[in-house]
Amino acid sequence: MSLIQKEAHGWGGLDHTVILLSNPMYYMTNDIPYVFHQDTNFLYLCGFQEPDSILVLQSIPGKALPSHKSILFVPRRDPSRELWDGPRSGTDGAIALTGVDEAYTIEEFRHLVAKLKGESNIVWYDSAKPVHTELHSDYMQPLAEIKARNKNHIQGVRHLVQNLRLIKSPAEIERMKIAGRVTAEAFIETMFASKSPVDEAFLYAKFEFECRARGADILAYPPVVAGGNRSNTLHYVKNNQLIKDGELVLLDGGCESSCYVSDITRTWPVNGRFTKPQAELYQAVLDIQKSCLSLCSPGMSLENIYSLMLSLIGQKLKELGILKSSITDSHFFKAVRKYCPHHVGHYLGMDVHDTPDISRSLPLQPGMVITIEPGIYVPEDDASAPERFRGIGVRIEDDVVITEGAPLILSADCPKEVYHIEQICGRSS
């Protein structure tokens, strides 16, 4: 509400109401539900882990912002549904679990909506991308239409929540440390279990098992487990092919632990030994990644680091003979982006691509968490590249907390030196 106080400065004596919807339950087929996963903006503000609910933060008449009261509207207790779906918190449980000031059944929300139609009420709600289409159409869409007719438009709130989520508290960082450590250990066990040939599906299953066995709630996203040339498909998630002897595997995976996620990528040879061309390309990416990590400090931005990454990749591509040393400046960055078409990183938190509306040009501040993930990808049909590099894709990704001093690498326990990876795979020379 402090952010609303700043944004609404000078608007006069108006009442403010913030409304966020929970996620609905999604179904795989007919009446078979997917495991429920809460909308992260809703979860961040109240911690309530049940579907079909509404959070309201409301200014208190006669008191200045940021004074407010919090209200949850939740599904009523229903023994017949709870037999199938498990217990619901109900209104009493919602207050006990979250500490909100008041709680009512979802049906009672219509009484609040009726009070919000007046011109003195400013409503903050994301109507452009409703999280819960049914609750939106039942309650919020009619309200939005009335407010629009009165020229009292509903204000978006998503950007305000993202600004809060951008800077992590010490408690949030502790949770992210756990997610990073669990994922690093899962990578080590998955590397250790590699053999040649090996199914991508086996490595996928091994990685997920090791995350869950260490207490992870779920995987943070469908992982990429890409053998050989498939590593050059950036969002390859089929994970159903055989990785042959002599090929690398690129595994981009993370877990969710207590609502916070990790996002790590490692690339290694399934037979335990890098070939000379693989090691050359891998070491080039590792050198670039270390240079990018050294820039993760307050005042820099992801955009600044991205510019450096492109320059460094270009230099390495010239050294490896993948780019001609005579390439002109005007064609340089276009040529580099052919071999690394993605950004250097993104914000990380409760979501893998966290706070996506926040510009990557924003100067980094202590408490921000980002990924650093340079890569070089040489498709097997790239006739312009030296033959020895064709079909090799390498990415190395770490999770980084910005601090006043040196960056804190949450994934530091995950091996990435050539000798260390070969040692773990059990074939150290």
Side-chain angles (χ1 to χ4, degrees), residues 98-138:
T98 66
V100 293
D101 298 309
E102 302 170 14
Y104 304 97
T105 63
I106 201 78
E107 292 82 5
E108 293 174 274
F109 184 63
R110 70 180 189 277
H111 302 308
L112 177 66
V113 170
K115 296 175 185 174
L116 297 178
K117 294 174 182 176
E119 290 186 20
S120 66
N121 288 287
I122 301 296
V123 175
W124 300 76
Y125 167 75
D126 292 306
S127 55
K129 291 183 178 177
V131 170
H132 194 304
T133 53
E134 189 176 336
L135 291 177
H136 174 75
S137 61
D138 286 352

Side-chain angles (χ1 to χ4, degrees), residues 168-202:
K168 274 64 180 178
S169 69
E172 289 177 288
I173 290 169
E174 286 304 312
R175 289 183 172 195
M176 296 190 74
K177 284 180 182 176
I178 293 169
R181 187 184 71 244
V182 164
T183 308
E185 291 173 1
F187 263 100
I188 291 169
E189 293 299 327
T190 307
M191 288 178 185
F192 189 71
S194 296
K195 56 188 185 296
S196 60
V198 65
D199 282 310
E200 290 167 347
F202 171 80

Side-chain angles (χ1 to χ4, degrees), residues 314-328:
Q315 291 171 21
K316 292 291 187 181
L317 291 174
K318 284 181 180 180
E319 291 170 15
L320 295 167
I322 296 171
L323 282 185
K324 291 183 172 62
S325 56
S326 59
I327 190 168
T328 60

Side-chain angles (χ1 to χ4, degrees), residues 7 45 49 132 152 169 179 243 252 290 319 322 327 361 369 388 390 416:
E7 195 136 323
L45 290 178
Q49 285 276 24
H132 194 304
N152 180 7
S169 69
I243 309 173
D252 182 338
K290 288 178 178 178
E319 291 170 15
I322 296 171
I327 190 168
S361 298
V369 184
R388 69 185 187 278
R390 292 177 200 168
K416 59 183 178 182

